[in-house]
Amino acid sequence: MDNELLCNPCPEAFEVLKQIVTSRGLKPAFGRRNGKPTIYGGIPAVCFTEMPIINFLQYVVARNNYAWCAPYGVCLLKRELFKAGARPAVYGLSVPGVSIVQDQGNIRVIDKNLLPLSEQYRYITLDPNRQEKNHPLDWTHEREWRWRESQQYSYGRAAQNGDGSDSLLLLFPEEDEVTFFSQVGFFVWTPEEANMLRDLIQQAIPGYLEYYMPKYFIIVLSEFVRYYNENGIHDVVYRIEDILMKLKPGKLWKRVPDPSDSESASNDALFDMWVEEPF
């Protein structure tokens, strides 16, 4: 394998992925760093990236800290995530300096004259000319999007206590619940993890086909790197939908349920899916 993209399995990150499946969704958080929340406005958020797979893997290797970024994840269609209320991050403001008017616990609020409270969850500090720490303050390469529970976008499991701490961006709905995601993908590093996750999805969501039929697939990133190396940079597919469209299910990606399982084979047509646009 190309050392540039060589990663390792991360049991801790895989455990988080399994918890996402068993909880049936993505739980917002405040993203605390150095004791401070990185999500402004007092409501937690779910963070996403729209980096292509190759760039994502390069970033994982370059950062070299699986506590912050590991080769695992959940992928959703951007148009559906937008419909659910997610928006691209706001990197910096036009004014020099940003006034913090409240900073206690998880509540960190910017002057509302600079940025409305309802949009503050999107804000990310940007200072590419910072000198005091010998490196710029610049996260624009992450191409981040964020989702938070709100009255306008109440898809998922709505928060009951008003601060978003018990909300959930729902991926696996039950009969009386709604999700706007027609397709949900998962990244793992090894084929063994893909098999375990596939089995967990089918065990954790018994009978979900009776209620709603989003399509689930799992991409094995170590096999993607192998494909990348064998085909060269000019032939490799970069977009998730290209992987699903050009390559048959096998080592690199798997359908859920597994069509080789006789009990789920009759439902295979529901999962013979191709996405229509980039994630």
Side-chain angles (χ1 to χ4, degrees):
M1 282 191 186
D2 188 337
N3 289 333
E4 179 189 5
L5 300 176
L6 185 60
C7 299
N8 293 301
C10 180
E12 294 81 7
F14 184 56
E15 194 62 34
V16 171
L17 206 58
K18 288 161 62 178
Q19 291 173 10
I20 289 171
V21 170
T22 55
S23 66
R24 301 190 293 114
L26 299 166
K27 185 173 178 58
F30 285 100
R32 299 181 71 87
R33 182 179 292 117
N34 299 323
K36 296 285 188 180
T38 59
I39 306 296
Y40 293 81
I43 302 293
V46 179
C47 301
F48 298 86
T49 178
E50 59 174 340
M51 285 190 286
I53 297 179
I54 289 294
N55 301 120
F56 171 69
L57 287 170
Q58 289 170 336
Y59 181 48
V60 170
V61 173
R63 190 150 190 191
N64 193 29
N65 186 341
Y66 281 6
W68 286 103
C69 187
Y72 298 81
V74 176
C75 53
L76 303 167
L77 278 168
K78 185 163 65 176
R79 59 182 169 83
E80 294 180 345
L81 192 59
F82 182 89
K83 187 175 181 180
R87 294 294 183 268
V90 175
Y91 291 97
L93 299 178
S94 300
V95 297
V98 173
S99 300
I100 307 296
V101 298
Q102 187 176 355
D103 192 355
Q104 184 177 9
N106 287 326
I107 309 300
R108 202 176 189 193
V109 177
I110 298 167
D111 185 344
K112 298 173 188 177
N113 293 316
L114 298 177
L115 191 64
L117 186 64
S118 62
E119 299 295 332
Q120 291 192 17
Y121 75 99
R122 301 168 59 190
Y123 175 74
I124 298 178
T125 307
L126 175 65
D127 185 0
N129 297 307
R130 185 176 69 173
Q131 300 294 326
E132 62 268 23
K133 293 190 177 181
N134 298 319
H135 60 81
L137 182 56
D138 186 350
W139 297 99
T140 54
H141 54 278
E142 290 191 340
R143 300 174 61 176
E144 191 168 334
W145 282 59
R146 290 179 174 178
W147 175 90
R148 53 154 280 190
E149 188 71 54
S150 68
Q151 274 190 319
Q152 184 178 3
Y153 299 104
S154 58
Y155 312 133
R157 182 183 299 160
Q160 299 298 316
N161 57 19
D163 65 0
S165 61
D166 60 344
S167 62
L168 192 75
L169 183 56
L170 197 64
L171 302 177
F172 298 91
E174 291 187 344
E175 186 173 13
D176 58 344
E177 296 173 319
V178 175
T179 178
F180 278 75
F181 304 118
S182 63
Q183 303 155 79
V184 179
F186 296 90
F187 290 141
V188 297
W189 184 249
T190 70
E192 293 77 18
E193 292 169 335
N195 290 331
M196 286 190 283
L197 192 66
R198 178 202 63 205
D199 293 343
L200 180 62
I201 292 173
Q202 295 181 108
Q203 293 167 11
I205 328 290
Y208 69 85
L209 285 175
E210 299 174 15
Y211 310 129
Y212 189 79
M213 292 176 291
K215 295 134 185 173
Y216 303 98
F217 59 91
I218 303 169
I219 292 178
V220 182
L221 290 178
S222 62
E223 293 296 331
F224 175 79
V225 172
R226 190 183 307 279
Y227 178 87
Y228 171 87
N229 290 333
E230 290 175 353
N231 289 273
I233 192 168
H234 299 295
D235 298 323
V236 72
V237 289
Y238 287 92
R239 302 184 307 171
I240 293 171
E241 63 271 32
D242 290 334
I243 292 176
L244 304 181
M245 191 176 297
K246 295 182 179 180
L247 304 176
K248 293 182 179 180
K251 287 185 177 180
L252 197 149
W253 74 279
K254 298 176 182 294
R255 295 191 185 107
V256 183
D258 182 357
S260 65
D261 179 353
S262 58
E263 293 184 3
S264 62
S266 61
N267 295 319
D268 183 39
L270 299 174
F271 296 85
D272 192 8
M273 40 69 68
W274 315 118
V275 297
E276 301 170 352
E277 60 188 49
F279 282 72

